[in-house]
Amino acid sequence: MPSLSERAAAKPPATPPRGDAHYLDGLNAPQRDAVLTTEGPVLMLAGAGTGKTRALTTRLAHIIHTGLAQPWQVLCVTFTNKAAREMKERIGELVGETVEGMRWLGTFHAIGAQILRRHAEVVDLKPSFTILDTDDQIRLCKQVIEAAGLDEKRWTARGLAGMIDSWKNRGLTPDEVPGPEAHDFADGKAIALYAAYQARLVALNAADFGDLLVHNLTIFRKQPDILAEYHRRFRYVLVDEYQDTNVAQYLWLRLLARDETGRSGGNVCVVGDDDQSIYGWRGAEVANILRFEKDFPGAKVIRLEQNYRSTPAILAAASAVIANNEGRLGKTLFTEADEGGKVVIRGVWDGDEEARVITDDIEAEQTKGRSLSEMAVLVRASFQMRSFEERFNTAGIPYQVVGGPRFYEREESRDALAYLRLVRNPGDDLSFARIINKPRRGFGDKALQTLNIAARANRTNLVDAGRFLLETHELKGKAKSSMREFLDSLDRWAEASGSKPPGDLAEMVLEESGYTEFWKQSKNAQAPGKLENLKELVNAASEFDTLGGYLDHVSLVSERSSESAEGQVWLMTLHAAKGLEFPLVFLPGWEEELFPSGRSVDEKGKDGLEEERRLAYVGITRARESCRISFAANRQVYGRWQSALPSRFIDELPEEHVEIASEAGLYGVAAKELPSHSRFEDLVVERDSTGGGYDTPGWRRARKSRSYGKPPAIEGSATLVASSAPGQSDFERGQRVFHQKFGTGTVQRIDGNKLEVEFDHAGLKKVIGSFLTAA
Ligand code: ATP
Ligand code: MG
């Protein structure tokens, strides 16, 4: 029997390639193989930065370019919306034309939502269903727990939502959950609560994130003809980051990745890296990628070994760390990149100082000509972001948070979206309840209660219950008139939504509802910002053709759009950074408890630790030219100060590829001369013996704790290093100084080498000492 590649070679493409396939030029031999082996299953299993995503993108370009399939006949799954956008752009570049119709290129959720809208009625939804976010989901769980008369303190909404999520991650509907699994929660009522929750969703005409796939599974199983339609449609299936698929996603892919006759196999190509599986806590199963060859017999396995992303030191550091994990396939990686700098490790006093030192570094790099968007700060936990955000703000450095507290999670965004969701789907009671009295319309809690009762009695939604109450004259006075007015407006908006573009519609709704006016009148200090956000929301809506398209987008975006990314530092969690790369990467907070996360090690033992280590591997391998790791001696975690130990991952870095950052002379000793197993307090002594001069909260605390005789100690790490702010200030308060750009001024505050200067003409500015001369 001929091998798959022979069979593939023997089978000519449906139409001959148009023009030359110049896009193949930039690829190495195994990558080309991955592109050209279009028929049959293919697995590309390779380490970070080896060009998996690039090969996958080229493969898609090739399929379209040679006419093997039309753009809408390819199912291509990426891990983030950002990755999907980039892939679309890249394909355009590769084939030299804008490619229209790549409708099925997106995240699991985005594609799942599309499919669900087409067949919503199979699972008792209407195509206009709302996608609930986590907040709404928890609110709904709360209602379900209340309705069951359970003690909410004992059985929390969050707990229930978590259980439901984990079942959905495994593709389980309420009647499929194994009984024993539910025993621990609410005296065995968990499955009934799950069923009640699903029933509520149907009543609301809504789906949560997990449903987007689980409903797909139900549809495919219930209606094989629908599944068959997709088998005919999707000639090729491509999946990036396959190591992080959960069971539901896996089942979904297995159902879809069949040929037109429904035979398992099909032209499916998945790529991934077992060392980068970092979503175990969300139900991802690395086993999915490891058993691909079993699931798709005859699969061609392609390994890539050349890393094109990082310098040798970065690659060596990452490889050394991940080598400590057991239970991995193990891969060799090499790079032909220039030597470049070593991985930098730096110890600092506390989180504030860490943010300051990194911000200074960023400014210094910028001065050297590096664009801000070439730099990223990747944190383990989102609380770490705050100190960076504050520092960036004071230093005037534009930054972009990915995946963090998002634009669409802000109060005003949520309110505005609730209006729009209600326009689209009048059955969306959660949205209704959110905005019926916002701004105040004299429709108080009591009126809402009456409405709720009527809705329940009539088994209908709140909007229809409102109409009913107006007819029966059960609403009185202000509540009655405002209900009438509100429903009239809603009808008008719904009608307008058929003809008006979504941006105009959003503006109309926000104006006519009085919502914009509400913030205009507000004395809240944040009101101006909120009004700007509302404008931004209208702008965002204008980019879509339909209200539905916009609302779906909002439900699915896991990050703010990167349009304005030029000239902004990236700030995100390590999880959000998967698949991305940056010339310069900062990795702060490498301390025991924080990273590896104490919780995940406590809960999952060695597996938890190994997942944390994979996260470290992902972090280091995001860097192309420079990777700077830091740890603090003191960390405020949930409001409590803790002294911290450097992360064990720091000790796992190979010495020859690591440079210990030290501003020589700062402490009177170079870090290299520090004895191993130094105590952090020694650094403080050294520091003070050179005269001190820092005036940051961290150092103030340091001095204070020393005078109490209880310096927070750090022991046990050979790689403990000294560092702090680059250079102390040569200036003093009240001194007259000169700055190239801002002219002369008077020093107001000194913070390390950063000064606040009141310039005679330019006003108060923060500047770096080295840019100043005495006037
Ligand atoms: P990750 O595991 O982090 O997702 P990956 O394997 O998907 O990484 P890519 O992001 O595709 O790797 O590629 C890493 C970098 O190497 C990119 O900048 C890409 O453009 C570049 N690259 C990939 N293949 C080649 C090649 N054959 N020649 C030159 N550069 C390449
Ligand atoms: Mg990739």
Side-chain angles (χ1 to χ4, degrees):
M1 193 173 139
S3 76
L4 273 174
S5 57
E6 282 161 349
R7 267 157 48 202
K11 192 170 168 183
T15 48
R18 281 177 264 153
D20 58 333
H22 56 278
Y23 45 79
L24 292 174
D25 295 348
L27 300 182
N28 62 30
Q31 284 177 320
R32 274 174 197 225
D33 204 9
V35 172
L36 296 174
T37 311
T38 52
E39 310 307 299
V42 175
L43 165 67
M44 218 188 310
L45 187 61
T50 51
K52 297 182 296 295
T53 302
R54 178 154 161 171
L56 196 76
T57 308
T58 312
R59 179 181 167 96
L60 181 46
H62 175 73
I63 287 168
I64 294 171
H65 181 72
T66 53
L68 283 169
Q70 297 302 319
W72 54 90
Q73 291 174 320
V74 183
L75 171 65
C76 179
V77 187
T78 59
F79 206 75
T80 61
N81 293 300
K82 185 172 190 303
R85 263 198 313 272
E86 285 174 4
M87 203 177 263
K88 275 185 194 165
E89 282 168 23
R90 184 103 181 94
I91 288 167
E93 289 165 22
L94 287 175
V95 301
E97 59 196 276
T98 20
V99 182
E100 300 288 337
M102 282 188 284
R103 235 170 279 149
W104 304 100
L105 191 169
T107 61
F108 278 106
H109 284 136
I111 297 172
Q114 265 193 79
I115 293 182
L116 184 54
R117 290 218 185 274
R118 304 174 90 220
H119 317 284
E121 71 291 349
V122 181
V123 287
D124 302 325
L125 293 174
K126 297 190 198 71
S128 61
F129 66 84
T130 301
I131 302 172
L132 296 192
D133 60 16
T134 322
D135 244 41
D136 293 334
Q137 194 192 352
I138 288 173
R139 209 164 307 133
L140 200 58
C141 282
K142 193 158 176 270
Q143 291 174 10
V144 168
I145 290 172
E146 266 170 19
L150 292 166
D151 177 1
E152 275 174 74
K153 292 218 173 61
R154 184 136 179 249
W155 311 114
T156 63
R158 230 164 245 290
L160 179 62
M163 283 188 84
I164 292 178
D165 269 348
S166 69
W167 285 324
K168 289 187 177 174
N169 283 340
R170 286 159 57 204
L172 300 172
T173 55
D175 46 344
E176 290 168 337
V177 175
E181 279 195 27
H183 276 157
D184 293 350
F185 193 89
D187 310 320
K189 294 199 188 76
I191 296 177
L193 293 173
Y194 179 16
Y197 171 83
Q198 288 307 114
R200 286 289 296 145
L201 284 173
V202 169
L204 292 166
N205 190 26
D208 66 17
F209 267 75
D211 282 340
L212 298 179
L213 285 181
V214 177
H215 281 329
N216 275 203
L217 296 177
T218 309
I219 291 167
F220 295 156
R221 284 173 184 150
K222 261 195 184 168
Q223 306 233 345
D225 51 318
I226 293 179
L227 182 59
E229 178 200 325
Y230 287 102
H231 290 154
R232 283 190 298 276
R233 177 189 300 265
F234 298 138
R235 298 208 181 165
Y236 295 91
V237 177
L238 288 71
V239 190
D240 199 0
E241 308 277 4
Y242 191 68
Q243 77 280 358
D244 273 323
T245 46
N246 63 30
V247 174
Q249 293 163 341
Y250 169 81
L251 294 171
W252 185 85
L253 277 170
R254 286 214 57 187
L255 283 171
L256 284 171
R258 299 190 176 186
D259 62 18
E260 64 275 26
T261 64
R263 254 184 325 116
S264 178
N267 303 322
V268 51
C269 174
V270 308
V271 319
D273 176 4
D274 57 314
D275 287 334
Q276 293 185 68
S277 160
I278 54 175
Y279 279 93
W281 55 282
R282 242 170 44 181
E285 303 224 343
V286 66
N288 291 343
I289 197 163
L290 303 180
R291 69 163 171 243
F292 183 83
E293 288 178 77
K294 236 191 243 149
D295 290 337
F296 296 93
K300 176 161 193 166
V301 180
I302 294 174
R303 296 188 196 280
L304 307 174
E305 296 192 328
Q306 179 163 5
N307 172 296
Y308 290 94
R309 181 180 291 148
S310 310
T311 62
I314 292 170
L315 197 58
S319 304
V321 170
I322 198 67
N324 290 285
N325 269 8
E326 292 168 17
R328 55 191 287 264
L329 295 175
K331 298 175 215 77
T332 36
L333 288 180
F334 70 97
T335 169
E336 287 173 358
D338 294 339
E339 193 46 49
K342 296 185 171 186
V343 171
V344 175
I345 308 179
R346 184 155 48 188
V348 293
W349 183 251
D350 64 10
D352 283 346
E353 172 155 328
E354 185 177 50
R356 182 163 60 77
V357 171
I358 289 178
T359 307
D360 288 348
D361 260 21
I362 290 173
E363 287 186 321
E365 289 286 335
Q366 197 185 13
T367 315
K368 282 195 250 159
R370 204 187 270 289
S371 141
L372 288 176
S373 59
E374 290 180 15
M375 298 183 260
V377 178
L378 311 180
V379 297
R380 170 64 186 91
S382 56
F383 79 82
Q384 290 173 266
M385 287 187 190
R386 188 203 51 86
S387 55
F388 287 98
E389 294 201 41
E390 278 175 20
R391 268 287 153 190
F392 292 163
N393 276 326
T394 32
I397 294 181
Y399 66 93
Q400 163 113 342
V401 176
V402 178
R406 294 172 254 158
F407 179 76
Y408 287 117
E409 276 167 11
R410 297 175 190 163
E411 178 191 6
E412 63 279 14
S413 304
R414 296 175 60 86
D415 290 340
L417 291 169
Y419 274 103
L420 296 176
R421 288 194 171 126
L422 195 61
V423 170
R424 184 192 193 196
N425 172 15
D428 187 344
D429 286 358
L430 291 170
S431 293
F432 181 94
R434 184 177 179 99
I435 47 89
I436 180 61
N437 207 29
K438 202 170 181 189
R440 279 179 198 282
R441 305 189 166 86
F443 199 90
D445 285 348
K446 218 170 130 235
L448 192 59
Q449 208 178 355
T450 315
L451 200 59
N452 265 316
I453 293 169
R456 233 171 290 151
N458 292 302
R459 292 171 187 267
T460 176
N461 59 47
L462 294 174
V463 166
D464 285 343
R467 294 189 206 284
F468 173 76
L469 288 186
L470 286 179
E471 277 169 25
T472 59
H473 307 289
E474 279 179 73
L475 281 176
K476 303 268 178 282
K478 185 80 184 124
K480 179 176 178 181
S481 57
S482 67
M483 179 49 107
R484 168 153 297 136
E485 205 179 311
F486 183 79
L487 291 178
D488 286 347
S489 302
L490 195 59
D491 291 339
R492 202 168 54 248
W493 300 330
E495 202 188 4
S497 73
S499 53
K500 266 190 191 299
D504 296 1
L505 180 75
E507 195 169 14
M508 170 183 177
V509 171
L510 294 174
E511 287 292 329
E512 294 188 359
S513 62
Y515 189 71
T516 314
E517 192 57 29
F518 165 74
W519 285 115
K520 279 188 188 153
Q521 298 299 331
S522 165
K523 300 249 176 341
N524 187 325
Q526 292 172 344
K530 289 180 186 283
L531 285 165
E532 281 177 22
N533 288 339
L534 289 174
K535 278 193 197 141
E536 178 55 32
L537 190 134
V538 170
N539 284 344
S542 312
E543 291 178 22
F544 289 80
D545 294 328
T546 64
L547 179 62
Y550 172 59
L551 290 177
D552 276 3
H553 165 82
V554 171
S555 301
L556 296 166
V557 276
S558 58
E559 63 256 310
R560 279 163 66 184
S561 76
S562 60
E563 263 94 75
S564 52
E566 262 321 298
Q568 289 180 301
V569 172
W570 296 93
L571 178 58
M572 66 189 91
T573 62
L574 287 163
H575 282 100
K578 200 166 62 133
L580 307 180
E581 61 186 26
F582 309 92
L584 173 52
V585 168
F586 294 95
L587 301 171
W590 281 42
E591 296 133 34
E592 287 291 298
E593 287 301 309
L594 177 53
F595 192 37
S597 141
R599 197 168 40 145
S600 87
V601 175
D602 287 349
E603 279 171 16
K604 291 198 258 122
K606 188 169 140 243
D607 288 350
L609 177 62
E610 297 214 332
E611 178 147 322
E612 293 289 311
R613 196 176 274 115
R614 290 194 290 270
L615 205 47
Y617 176 77
V618 167
I620 300 171
T621 54
R622 296 312 94 198
R624 277 163 53 185
E625 296 161 21
S626 176
C627 174
R628 304 185 193 173
I629 296 170
S630 51
F631 62 89
N634 300 283
R635 178 76 61 182
Q636 204 174 13
V637 181
Y638 301 115
R640 283 201 354 256
W641 280 101
Q642 297 174 353
S643 53
L645 291 169
S647 167
R648 71 190 78 189
F649 301 149
I650 288 185
D651 287 336
E652 292 170 4
L653 295 163
E655 236 169 85
E656 65 273 30
H657 295 294
V658 162
E659 171 192 327
I660 288 161
S662 130
E663 279 70 34
L666 189 64
Y667 301 110
V669 288
K672 282 193 259 340
E673 297 164 25
L674 284 172
S676 61
H677 303 283
S678 302
R679 293 168 68 90
F680 204 88
E681 65 198 85
D682 296 336
L683 304 183
V684 179
V685 176
E686 293 291 350
R687 168 94 211 68
D688 274 358
S689 68
T690 63
Y694 278 101
D695 192 28
T696 68
W699 288 106
R700 274 201 296 275
R701 269 190 299 277
R703 273 197 290 277
K704 212 162 143 201
S705 79
R706 244 165 54 78
S707 64
Y708 290 141
K710 277 194 295 184
I714 287 192
E715 295 181 77
S717 168
T719 42
L720 180 62
V721 289
S723 167
S724 184
Q728 70 195 67
S729 173
D730 296 329
F731 302 95
E732 44 189 55
R733 269 187 64 187
Q735 191 178 349
R736 294 285 289 166
V737 290
F738 176 77
H739 186 276
Q740 275 284 337
K741 193 161 148 204
F742 303 127
T744 40
T746 310
V747 177
Q748 303 293 330
R749 254 191 89 226
I750 302 175
D751 182 357
N753 75 336
K754 235 191 225 167
L755 292 86
E756 250 174 53
V757 179
E758 180 73 46
F759 288 101
D760 300 348
H761 297 295
L764 192 66
K765 296 261 182 262
K766 281 218 163 194
V767 290
I768 297 176
S770 47
F771 289 103
L772 293 174
T773 49

